Amino acid sequence: MAKPKTLYSCTECGGQSPKWQGQCSHCHAWNTLVETVAEPVTASSNRFSTLAGVAAERGVVQSLSKVRAEDVPRKPTGISEFDRVLGGGLVEGGVVLIGGDPGIGKSTLLLQALASISNTNSVLYVSGEESPQQIAMRAKRLSLDSHDVKLLAEIELEKILNVVAAEKPQVAVIDSIQTVYSAALTSAPGSVAQVRECAAHLTRMAKSSGTTLILVGHVTKEGALAGPRVLEHMVDTVLYFEGDTHSSFRLIRAVKNRFGAVNEIGVFAMTEKGLREVTNPSAIFLSQHDTNVSGSCVMVTQEGSRPLLVEIQALVDDSHGMNPKRLSVGLEQNRLAMLLAVLHRHGGLAVFDQDVFINAVGGVRIDEPGADLAVLLAIVSSFKNKPLPAKHVVFGEIGLAGEVRPVQRGQERLREAAKLGFTHAIVPKANKPKHKIEGMEVIGVDRVEQAVEYCRG
Ligand code: TYD
Ligand code: MG
């Protein structure tokens, strides 16, 4: 038998090259090439054929205005927070990828969702990780009505495709895509080539049969979906589970959605009866201090269509090493370095001999620069060991010149804070509302110095 030909493919972009090199020649990422076995050219090599939606209309040139634009019909899962991140529900023929750390609740949520939609749709749960007994035990523990949930414990792609073709489920879950392997490929299960090919086959099956497909994906330590990035390009919707496994709250964030808005989040609490929706999550990321403590600052962040109040904590302490520590949990590390520099230059506060730790309470992750002002004030408060004034909320982006820049949807954030009993807000001047918000005094600042000065009291 001829020796199989080896290729090197990039885990970022899926680009291939005949020999190993440090940098991918396609996307220029470093150290991303991994060895794979060259597969014979099959129809599946034409990966992009799976991307183009409705098969019948492919290859026909038509005028855009003549194409009928209809709203895609939705299948609500009955779990409103899940529907929210999906953009209203599942879509026929749509492919959803759900990523998250092990044990965060992916299988639990999907089992709950399947049981709920099985009343109106035929569903199939394919598990490569758990035995039918384990799944049945979980369903029992969750008190789910799982009569109509069909189960298949299988990891071989060809068999899964056969079963799906025979059963024709309207919704199918593959838990997880990394366990599925194709016997037609010589590379090992879980390898880049396997994951990519299996996902491509399943996606094509979903598009041609109209089955809604939900793929579960494992996440690497760095927080990216294990397997090639192309997985994210292939599917219609990418959702990530976030949250601290030690806290009971779980967030699902949409990072890509061809059928709805991204950055929408769904909030759940993990209970002994599975995941429960938290429909009014604005106050869950505040820790309850009896008295005001230093190094704590409450900010209002905007997640999709909802404002959320999150407590930012900072600890600034004498450093005993050559390199003072700069650690951030839930907030961007690079942004912290920048804020410390701005604080030095424009706030007159030098922390080069101090360790600085910052944390967003409750395992929530905040990407938006609107957190800058809250982080900065929490740092100042910890450094001076002086609590910020009580019942204050803060938001605003900080620029390198020490200016405080406005954020989106300032009014909504302020209203939410007022609703939760906050009485003062330190915000960018441009976000100051024209009309007074009941019970809320708004302090507009346009420089870092002013905010620091205000808190000094
Ligand atoms: P699971 O859905 O198996 O995680 P994943 O599929 O993402 O790996 O979640 C398992 C975790 O959830 C496990 O640590 C136990 C916990 N859990 C509960 O707290 N309550 C429950 O009702 C269930 C089913 C699980
Ligand atoms: Mg699981």
Side-chain angles (χ1 to χ4, degrees), residues 101-108 110 125 127 129-130 138 175-176 216 218:
D101 290 333
I104 200 154
K106 301 179 293 296
S107 307
T108 307
L110 292 176
Y125 185 96
S127 179
E129 307 204 326
E130 289 159 309
R138 171 176 296 159
D175 189 358
S176 66
V216 175
H218 289 298

Side-chain angles (χ1 to χ4, degrees), residues 9-10 13-16 36 39 47 177 185 191-203 227-228 230-231 234:
S9 63
C10 172
C13 70
Q16 295 183 327
T36 46
E39 307 302 340
R47 209 171 346 110
I177 185 66
L185 305 195
S191 66
V192 174
Q194 284 281 7
V195 171
R196 189 176 60 203
E197 277 304 303
C198 291
H201 270 102
L202 288 162
T203 306
V230 278
L231 217 56
M234 241 181 247

Side-chain angles (χ1 to χ4, degrees), residues 308-341:
L308 267 187
L309 276 83
V310 181
E311 180 181 333
I312 306 291
Q313 296 183 333
L315 178 66
V316 181
D317 197 22
D318 290 346
S319 174
H320 297 289
M322 289 290 284
N323 295 313
K325 292 201 175 67
R326 304 277 180 257
L327 205 78
S328 83
V329 180
L331 293 146
E332 238 181 281
Q333 185 96 17
N334 291 338
R335 212 121 186 125
L336 172 61
M338 183 206 95
L339 287 175
L340 292 178

Side-chain angles (χ1 to χ4, degrees), residues 89-168:
L90 295 165
V91 173
E92 197 173 293
V95 183
V96 182
L97 180 65
I98 296 192
D101 290 333
I104 200 154
K106 301 179 293 296
S107 307
T108 307
L109 175 72
L110 292 176
L111 193 58
Q112 287 178 269
L114 278 193
S116 163
I117 37 181
S118 67
N119 298 327
T120 46
N121 292 274
S122 52
V123 303
L124 176 70
Y125 185 96
V126 183
S127 179
E129 307 204 326
E130 289 159 309
S131 67
Q133 287 80 6
Q134 283 172 313
I135 299 168
M137 257 163 58
R138 171 176 296 159
K140 201 169 144 204
R141 182 163 154 209
L142 299 173
S143 324
L144 294 177
D145 174 16
S146 51
H147 279 302
D148 301 322
V149 180
K150 298 255 175 59
L151 210 58
L152 172 70
E154 182 56 69
I155 54 172
E156 195 183 324
L157 176 74
E158 288 72 19
K159 291 189 184 150
I160 295 174
L161 289 174
N162 284 342
V163 172
V164 171
E167 294 277 333
K168 298 195 178 53

